[in-house]
């Protein structure tokens, strides 16, 4: 390892620290991923999952530990307890926020940061479990989801957290998580997503997959729209954020964007933002 450059040595040490593996496995996995840490974590946990034995009895014990005392499902309190049991504050901070997002350390209270990180963790876990509703896990969702992830203990759950960063960094998986978030966050029986909830989710998701115009978008909605958000607007905004340059240099006024996005472009121009 002495022959490696400093950057590669740092990645080896980081990989060993997070996964608990030895130097030889760390080196081989990082080389297989062309020295991309995200890819190395993905390879490591995919291989670990394929070799792991899942004890269904342990899954039952986990479910019963967090199950609501008055309903046959895990509710908000149980999910909060689960997240607290999983919590490794510094590790989650480094893994989920871009580059460690040091600005959060100074710009947000510890409580606010804790809530942000826990909500993001809940979202990714819920996506893996195919949970239909925010802050609710049926027994089938919880047990089936953990089984598919190769998890039957809190220790294995903690070990999986690094690979969830890979999910958020992967364009296709992020798109799936983003679209999943609409149905997950909306209230039962509603077709649209409440504006305040939509704004909160956008701020959360676009912190991970950064879009420079997200705050202007949220301000525009509060000033000009002030209504619930449709699924079409939700899904089209991600396409807009990905395909249109933040300077709007390649924006096509005749494109098939929802009217709300066209109004947003007008808002940016009228206010001299672009």
């Amino acid at each position: 390892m002495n022959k490696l450059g400093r950057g590669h040595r740092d990645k080896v040490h980081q990989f060993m620290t997070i996964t608990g593996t030895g130097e030889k496995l760390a080196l081989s996995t990082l080389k297989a991923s062309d020295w991309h840490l995200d890819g190395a974590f993905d390879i490591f946990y995919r291989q670990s999952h394929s070799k792991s034995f899942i004890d269904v009895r342990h899954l039952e014990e986990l479910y019963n530990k967090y199950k609501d005392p008055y309903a046959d499902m895990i509710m908000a309190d149980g999910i909060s307890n689960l997240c607290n049991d999983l919590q490794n504050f510094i590790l989650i901070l480094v893994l989920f926020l871009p580059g460690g997002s040091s600005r959060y350390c100074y710009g947000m209270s510890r409580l606010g940061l804790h809530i942000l990180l826990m909500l993001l963790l809940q979202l990714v876990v819920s996506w893996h479990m195919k949970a239909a509703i925010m802050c609710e896990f049926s027994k089938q969702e919880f047990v089936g989801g953990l089984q598919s992830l190769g998890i039957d203990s809190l220790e294995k759950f903690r070990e999986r957290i690094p690979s969830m960063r890979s999910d958020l960094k992967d364009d296709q998986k992020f798109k799936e998580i983003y679209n999943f978030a609409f149905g997950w966050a909306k209230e039962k029986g509603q077709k649209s997503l409440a504006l305040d909830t939509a704004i909160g989710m956008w701020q959360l998701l676009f912190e991970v997959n950064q879009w420079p115009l997200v705050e202007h978008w949220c301000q525009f909605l509060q000033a000009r729209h002030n209504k619930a958000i449709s699924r079409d607007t939700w899904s089209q905004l991600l396409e807009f954020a990905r395909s249109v340059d933040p300077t709007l240099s390649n924006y096509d006024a005749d494109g098939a964007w929802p009217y709300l996005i066209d109004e947003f472009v007008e808002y940016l121009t009228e206010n001299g933002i672009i």
Side-chain angles (χ1 to χ4, degrees):
M1 189 160 112
N2 292 331
K3 296 180 180 179
L4 297 176
R6 182 175 178 179
H8 284 173
R9 288 200 307 270
D10 288 345
K11 288 183 178 181
V12 171
H13 285 304
Q14 188 175 348
F15 186 90
M16 290 167 61
T17 300
I18 292 175
T19 61
T21 57
E23 181 181 311
K24 184 176 180 180
L25 180 57
L27 276 169
S28 64
T29 310
L30 281 162
K31 287 178 180 178
S33 70
D34 197 22
W35 291 95
H36 294 293
L37 267 174
D38 290 348
F41 286 134
D42 194 39
I43 291 170
F44 175 77
Y45 287 107
R46 190 167 59 242
Q47 291 176 342
S48 297
H49 167 56
S50 66
K51 298 175 184 177
S52 61
F53 170 76
I54 303 303
D55 192 327
V56 178
R57 294 171 300 176
H58 291 168
L59 287 174
E60 291 277 348
E61 291 170 3
L62 275 178
Y63 176 76
N64 290 329
K65 179 178 181 179
Y66 298 108
K67 185 178 79 70
D68 188 89
Y70 305 108
D72 189 18
M73 61 189 338
I74 298 175
M75 307 293 281
D77 287 345
I79 293 174
S80 178
N81 291 336
L82 172 62
C83 286
N84 286 330
D85 288 344
L86 290 172
Q87 181 182 346
N88 180 330
F89 192 83
I90 300 300
L91 176 61
I92 295 175
L93 172 63
V94 171
L95 291 174
F96 276 103
L97 297 180
S101 284
S102 58
R103 69 189 179 91
Y104 276 103
C105 298
Y106 304 99
M108 184 182 292
S109 69
R110 186 180 178 90
L111 177 60
L113 180 56
H114 171 90
I115 293 171
L116 173 77
L117 295 173
M118 289 303 103
L119 181 58
L120 186 55
L121 178 59
Q122 284 185 43
L123 172 60
V124 179
V125 170
S126 296
W127 172 69
H128 276 291
M129 293 184 178
K130 299 180 174 60
I133 301 170
M134 182 189 289
C135 295
E136 287 186 15
F137 291 144
S138 69
K139 185 174 183 178
Q140 181 179 354
E141 290 169 345
F142 184 82
V143 173
L146 292 189
Q147 195 167 13
S148 68
L149 285 166
I151 294 171
D152 61 3
S153 68
L154 288 176
E155 182 180 2
K156 288 184 180 179
F157 212 140
R158 292 188 190 100
E159 290 174 352
R160 283 286 297 179
I161 289 176
S163 70
M164 292 181 186
R165 182 185 187 222
S166 299
D167 295 333
L168 291 165
K169 292 293 185 178
D170 181 276
D171 285 347
Q172 182 56 40
K173 289 182 180 178
F174 179 84
K175 182 177 180 179
E176 292 176 17
I177 293 170
Y178 176 92
N179 287 325
F180 167 83
F182 181 89
W184 181 72
K186 70 181 179 65
E187 295 184 11
K188 289 181 181 179
Q190 297 298 313
K191 293 184 177 180
S192 300
L193 188 60
L195 180 60
D196 288 346
T197 304
I199 287 174
M201 294 303 298
W202 273 318
Q203 290 172 331
L204 177 72
L205 287 160
F206 284 122
E207 275 304 335
V208 178
N209 204 304
Q210 293 184 326
W211 179 44
L213 297 178
V214 62
E215 289 303 326
H216 294 302
W217 168 253
C218 295
Q219 291 165 7
F220 157 74
L221 291 174
Q222 291 171 319
R224 299 281 186 89
H225 187 61
N226 203 28
K227 296 178 183 177
I229 300 299
S230 70
R231 185 180 290 275
D232 181 57
T233 298
W234 177 269
S235 61
Q236 287 293 314
L237 184 72
L238 180 61
E239 296 304 316
F240 179 82
R242 284 183 165 182
S243 61
V244 176
D245 187 271
T247 64
L248 304 183
S249 60
N250 61 339
Y251 170 72
D252 181 4
D254 296 323
W257 298 111
Y259 80 93
L260 199 57
I261 291 179
D262 289 329
E263 287 188 3
F264 173 57
V265 173
E266 292 178 9
Y267 168 86
L268 292 174
T269 305
E270 291 169 3
N271 289 275
I273 298 168
I274 299 299

